Amino acid sequence: MGTGRIGSLASLREHLQWAVELEHATLPPYLCALYSLDPGVNEDAVEVISSVFVEEMIHLSLAANLLNAVGGEPRLDTPEMMPPYPRLLPHGEVELRLLPFGPEALEMFLRLEKPEAPGAPAEGDHYETIGQFYDAIEAGLLSLCDELGEDKVFTGDPARQVTAGPFHHTDGKLGEVTDLKSALAALEEIVEQGEGTSSGGIWDGDRDFFHPDRDEVAHYYRFEELKLGRRYQRGDTPQTGPTGDPVVVNPGGVIPMQPNPQRSADPEIRAAQEAFDNTYCVVLYLLEQAFNGEPALIRDATRTMFALKAEMLQLLALKEEDGTTPGPTFTYIAPDDRT
């Protein structure tokens, strides 16, 4: 039996808030890797990381929908969402760092998206894989519905549910959660997109957005494709590895951002870092509002997310005195201090 059994509605809501925090914690590392890539020479890597990033945003929204469905209130615009990097995945064992794309970043993403071993216990705390954490949430949901009745568990206002799509970069779905059936479907979507099907398959059940003739592989296996330089094709298994077309990664087409950037002493760089953090915190504010009764604001949050790209690229074009490339620090800015 794993740790962190969920035996009450309060515990279920607490764990679903952790799920929101977990899905959010993956976003800064993916953004740093994505924007360090030159899309002109690293198209394959840009495709993979942008598709994973969009799906992590879907997972964050599904976690918020799950929390709303059981009468909780998703919290995103808080200092606790943005502790300094390096940091551990919330309530987990994987260390997250802010790195430019490269072998180190790929190894971190593979650890993050690692499939759970067959028969691994559900773990509601100190989990080794994300799948084990969501197994604990699923077990808690099932036992509470059994014990209290579905109508006593799903007490949230359906008007707070956020739905969106179709998306750029993915065939993934963001649907509403109103009962046990839709809650289990949301959990399955999150886990299968990350680590593949529970039967040990490498596919996530969707079509590949960029290559509609192909099935889409789960996040873990997409990162393996980049690491091993080949695509998975039909007939491949985790044991065979990918045997399909070559995947090209050009190490020269990566901006060498400092790992785990700190606030700079250079006034121009610091101002650029603060501008980025300001916009990022506005995104968190808009997401929190969207998940707490104003679902239409998800569009504004997405638009503001695109503004981050311009600010990040501006920052990555600067140089410190020692010749290194600065990057974003993802420092929380309190609402009263935002511009």
Side-chain angles (χ1 to χ4, degrees), residues 13-34:
R13 290 177 191 133
E14 179 183 46
H15 280 76
L16 285 168
Q17 173 63 30
W18 293 356
V20 169
E21 291 166 20
L22 181 171
E23 299 298 348
H24 167 263
T26 68
L27 300 180
Y30 284 138
L31 277 180
C32 287
L34 176 61

Side-chain angles (χ1 to χ4, degrees), residues 2 5 11-12 61 66 92 114 130 140 148 184 200 217 250 293 323 327 330:
R5 185 180 168 274
S11 173
L12 178 63
S61 304
L66 283 157
K114 185 181 175 188
I130 291 174
L148 307 171
L184 295 176
V217 299
N250 181 342
F330 290 91

Side-chain angles (χ1 to χ4, degrees), residues 1-279:
M1 180 68 194
T3 56
R5 185 180 168 274
I6 297 168
S8 67
L9 280 171
S11 173
L12 178 63
R13 290 177 191 133
E14 179 183 46
H15 280 76
L16 285 168
Q17 173 63 30
W18 293 356
V20 169
E21 291 166 20
L22 181 171
E23 299 298 348
H24 167 263
T26 68
L27 300 180
Y30 284 138
L31 277 180
C32 287
L34 176 61
Y35 292 142
S36 71
L37 286 161
D38 177 344
V41 293
N42 270 314
E43 189 185 354
D44 289 343
V46 167
E47 269 184 21
V48 166
I49 298 179
S50 58
S51 68
V52 168
F53 179 80
V54 170
E55 286 171 2
E56 293 297 348
M57 284 297 299
I58 296 174
H59 300 173
L60 172 66
S61 304
L62 286 170
N65 279 353
L66 283 157
L67 179 51
N68 268 321
V70 298
E73 292 182 6
R75 289 284 157 251
L76 283 107
D77 189 3
T78 67
E80 292 75 37
M81 291 296 275
M82 294 177 73
Y85 287 82
R87 57 169 294 192
L88 288 177
L89 203 54
H91 300 275
E93 305 288 336
V94 178
E95 185 181 74
L96 299 175
R97 290 174 294 155
L98 302 178
L99 301 168
F101 180 82
E104 265 189 281
L106 271 181
E107 288 306 322
M108 171 174 67
F109 297 151
L110 285 163
R111 278 199 304 280
L112 178 62
E113 302 284 2
K114 185 181 175 188
E116 62 179 298
E123 292 180 326
D125 207 349
H126 306 297
Y127 52 90
E128 286 147 64
T129 66
I130 291 174
Q132 288 169 282
F133 175 69
Y134 282 112
D135 282 350
I137 289 177
E138 183 176 323
L141 259 176
L142 289 167
S143 72
L144 286 167
C145 285
D146 211 28
E147 188 187 323
L148 307 171
E150 212 173 315
D151 58 330
K152 296 283 192 294
V153 174
F154 292 93
T155 57
D157 179 357
R160 291 166 68 98
Q161 293 292 311
V162 172
T163 58
F167 297 92
H168 295 300
H169 308 320
T170 174
D171 210 20
K173 313 205 173 26
L174 173 53
E176 55 182 31
V177 177
T178 52
D179 55 15
L180 183 60
K181 185 182 174 191
S182 52
L184 295 176
L187 290 169
E188 184 178 44
E189 177 89 353
I190 292 171
V191 173
E192 289 196 352
Q193 274 182 349
E195 58 181 58
T197 56
S198 51
S199 56
I202 56 182
W203 315 100
D204 71 4
D206 294 327
R207 305 300 295 161
D208 185 319
F209 180 85
F210 293 102
H211 310 276
D213 55 318
R214 290 208 304 255
D215 295 324
E216 187 169 68
V217 299
H219 295 181
Y220 179 82
Y221 300 101
R222 281 179 235 176
F223 290 127
E224 275 210 325
E225 290 180 330
L226 292 179
K227 180 183 174 179
L228 301 173
R230 288 222 168 270
R231 290 198 188 283
Y232 277 95
Q233 59 182 352
R234 286 202 181 138
D236 288 348
T237 66
Q239 289 69 40
T240 66
T243 64
D245 297 336
V247 172
V248 179
V249 173
N250 181 342
V254 179
I255 299 167
M257 184 192 87
Q258 294 170 352
N260 302 316
Q262 302 296 308
R263 280 283 164 87
S264 177
D266 179 302
E268 184 188 8
I269 293 171
R270 192 181 177 92
Q273 288 173 322
E274 287 171 353
F276 178 91
D277 288 336
N278 192 84
T279 303

